[in-house]
Amino acid sequence: MTAREIAEKVGGTVAVAADEAAATSVYVGDLLSDVMGHAGEDCALVTIQNHLNTIAVCTLIGCTVLVICHSRPIPPDMAEGAAREGVAIVVTPLSQYAAALALKELPPSAH
């Protein structure tokens, strides 16, 4: 599922586009150490963590689409890092739970 399709499903917007960004699964988590240990490659990560470290984690695990919940703003350094690393960012007004339900067509990510 592409970042644009994900944005449509969660009623959000693509804040940072990435040409090749597409997710084959979903992982929900706000504790980045847990995300590093359990999220799989090519997942969409649903979280509230709107900072540059989240991009570093996405790069480490091969996460291609980041879904930021509760309409949290994307700081400039985060947007720049995502663009540089090829990670798409979608911003949604939904909670993590509601965003995960909206993405039910994608299977859970497993590492």
Side-chain angles (χ1 to χ4, degrees), residues 16-60:
V16 176
D19 292 336
E20 301 296 318
T24 58
S25 63
V26 173
Y27 193 83
V28 180
D30 294 326
L31 184 60
L32 295 179
S33 59
D34 178 70
V35 172
M36 286 188 301
H38 298 285
E41 193 171 357
D42 294 326
C43 73
L45 173 59
V46 178
T47 187
I48 60 167
Q49 298 294 343
N50 61 332
H51 51 77
L52 186 57
N53 287 347
T54 310
I55 301 303
V57 169
C58 287
T59 302
L60 179 69

